[in-house]
Amino acid sequence: IAEQWNAMSKSEQEAATQSAVKDLEDHHEMKKLAVRNVPLEAFHNCQRSVEVIDHEARALNAHAGVEIIFIATCSTADHFNQPHVFQTLHATDFFDACFKVRSMDVALRLEVFSIAGIKELAAAPKRVSHMYYHNFDHHITMKHQIIVENWPLTKFCCPGDLNLQTEISVLKTAWDSSATIFCKLTDAEFKEW
């Protein structure tokens, strides 16, 4: 291509690129007049950046054995991104063994603290000593104001009670992607519940 381009005269080069330049100018003019959605652009930028960081962290862990915990959260309420956690296996075990808390819980507290700036909201919540699937509303929601958001299966039950591999896979993917989460209701939400 370079040889062809260099063999062309200046007028031939201009003629060859005239339609592309016109399209580019039209595109720039349209961008000037278009209504911009800055939060949506920030969302996509964040998603792309986090994917790149995750990819690099995976490679670093695989090649050098480096253990990594990476948490990304929003800093304002008008951001669309959900908290994101990347962690290697040993880092996951570390959080479980040392802090007795999932790293996603830390990410959620960081997001609350970043947005609201209220230390009490970010503080460690009271731990639930036993998980109740049967009568969850009575045992958990009524006592702790906690609900499960976006349960992906038709029946709410202990994962150990599932018999189909597809159900287990769907549930694991929902938890791993944070599509399904435990959520603490505000006092107003709890009254409405």
Side-chain angles (χ1 to χ4, degrees):
I1 293 175
E3 286 180 24
Q4 288 178 337
W5 181 258
N6 292 333
M8 297 171 122
S9 68
K10 191 72 166 168
S11 61
E12 289 174 324
Q13 289 175 347
E14 288 175 7
T17 59
Q18 186 175 10
S19 66
V21 169
K22 175 74 172 121
D23 289 345
L24 189 58
E25 288 171 350
D26 290 345
H27 179 72
H28 282 291
E29 187 64 29
M30 187 172 66
K31 278 188 93 169
K32 280 190 225 174
L33 301 173
V35 176
R36 299 192 63 183
N37 187 338
V38 175
L40 185 59
E41 291 173 15
F43 168 79
H44 288 299
N45 184 34
C46 180
Q47 290 296 102
R48 281 190 303 274
S49 297
V50 164
E51 287 171 6
V52 168
I53 293 169
D54 282 0
H55 176 75
E56 292 297 320
R58 253 186 231 98
L60 183 60
N61 176 256
H63 298 296
V66 174
E67 297 302 325
I68 301 166
I69 298 170
F70 165 60
I71 298 175
T73 67
C74 298
S75 58
T76 65
D78 51 339
H79 286 172
F80 299 138
N81 301 86
Q82 291 187 351
H84 174 81
V85 175
F86 173 87
Q87 58 192 349
T88 55
L89 182 60
H90 286 19
T92 302
D93 294 342
F94 172 77
F95 261 79
D96 291 343
C98 293
F99 300 119
K100 307 284 189 241
V101 66
R102 295 178 341 151
S103 54
M104 181 52 78
D105 294 336
V106 173
L108 291 168
R109 288 186 215 138
L110 174 61
E111 183 177 56
V112 167
F113 184 78
S114 297
I115 293 172
I118 302 170
K119 291 179 184 176
E120 291 78 20
L121 291 176
K126 182 178 173 185
R127 295 193 61 81
V128 176
S129 61
H130 180 78
M131 180 60 180
Y132 294 91
Y133 291 92
H134 185 68
N135 294 328
F136 179 88
D137 294 348
H138 173 73
H139 291 288
I140 305 295
T141 306
M142 291 297 292
K143 291 181 182 178
H144 304 284
Q145 292 183 222
I146 295 173
I147 62 168
V148 176
E149 284 190 349
N150 302 319
W151 183 259
L153 306 175
T154 54
K155 181 183 174 191
F156 184 71
C157 65
C158 175
D161 293 340
L162 297 173
N163 295 320
L164 299 175
Q165 180 64 34
T166 54
E167 289 179 328
I168 295 168
S169 178
V170 165
L171 184 58
K172 182 175 181 347
T173 300
W175 281 114
D176 288 347
S177 68
S178 297
T180 299
I181 60 169
F182 287 107
C183 180
K184 181 150 177 75
L185 299 173
T186 64
D187 291 339
E189 290 171 332
F190 183 65
K191 282 182 184 176
E192 192 176 307
W193 176 83

